[in-house]
Amino acid sequence: MKVTVDFDLCESNALCMAAAPEVFEVRDDDFLYVLDESPPEALRAKVEEAVRACPKAAITLEG
């Protein structure tokens, strides 16, 4: 599985971080960072929730 973020759409509102903190992090600079672009299958449910939670539809999941 591969996580992609469209940073032109991303507002760094941290809803993805709330759903999958192992994969997403909004830091003190108010920018989103992807901690693991290819997370393990065990995190699929959390990453899928992060995709659904994003109000700007900036996150996509492949595979």
Side-chain angles (χ1 to χ4, degrees):
M1 134 175 83
K2 179 158 175 52
V3 176
T4 305
V5 176
D6 183 338
F7 289 101
D8 291 333
L9 294 176
C10 179
E11 293 181 334
S12 299
N13 56 35
L15 294 177
C16 58
M17 187 173 85
E22 302 90 341
V23 179
F24 304 99
E25 181 178 66
V26 176
R27 297 184 183 159
D28 291 338
D29 61 5
D30 287 330
F31 287 103
L32 174 69
Y33 293 86
V34 179
L35 302 175
D36 189 350
E37 291 182 353
S38 299
E41 191 63 30
L43 293 178
R44 179 175 290 275
K46 287 184 171 189
V47 174
E48 288 175 346
E49 176 58 30
V51 171
R52 286 191 296 274
C54 181
K56 301 302 284 183
I59 305 168
T60 55
L61 181 61
E62 299 172 32

